[in-house]
Amino acid sequence: MPLDTDRLILEPLEIAHAKKLYAGLSDATLYKFSPNDPLSLDDLTERYQRILHSPRNNNIELWRNWAVRLQDGDSEYIGMIETSIFPNDYAYVA
């Protein structure tokens, strides 16, 4: 179920989002302060497959991941949000 704001739509991450997000995530300037390099489309697809087929609900953490797109007429995908939610009321958000 998507989450909506006035400007954004957050869609639960699916494998098909790899192709939709690839152009933006392959921009090398995003990785200027990261030790990682942009992934190929095949590697990004494989990464999303791992994320979606890993245990997302367990006693240690919940994983929630969304593809983010603009609410305007173009509905352009602009990125993603990754979260790990822990039982003691804290979370990591990337």
Side-chain angles (χ1 to χ4, degrees):
M1 172 183 222
L3 303 173
D4 293 65
T5 71
D6 289 341
R7 294 180 48 228
L8 303 172
I9 300 171
L10 282 67
E11 300 172 347
L13 189 67
E14 299 176 356
I15 294 169
H17 283 118
K19 187 174 182 178
K20 297 172 183 177
L21 290 165
Y22 176 71
L25 293 176
S26 63
D27 183 347
T29 59
L30 290 175
Y31 303 87
K32 183 176 181 177
F33 301 103
S34 170
N36 302 317
D37 292 321
L39 297 175
S40 68
L41 179 56
D42 288 341
D43 288 342
L44 187 62
T45 301
E46 183 180 309
R47 180 173 187 272
Y48 288 178
Q49 288 173 337
R50 281 193 315 270
I51 288 171
L52 294 171
H53 291 105
S54 295
R56 297 188 313 169
N57 297 316
N58 59 45
N59 293 332
I60 300 170
E61 65 183 305
L62 300 173
W63 288 1
R64 298 293 181 259
N65 303 285
W66 295 274
V68 182
R69 64 184 171 100
L70 296 175
Q71 187 74 271
D72 66 10
D74 292 337
S75 297
E76 178 184 0
Y77 283 88
I78 60 170
M80 64 177 294
I81 298 172
E82 300 178 7
T83 63
S84 294
I85 306 164
F86 299 92
N88 55 353
D89 295 330
Y90 74 94
Y92 295 140
V93 179

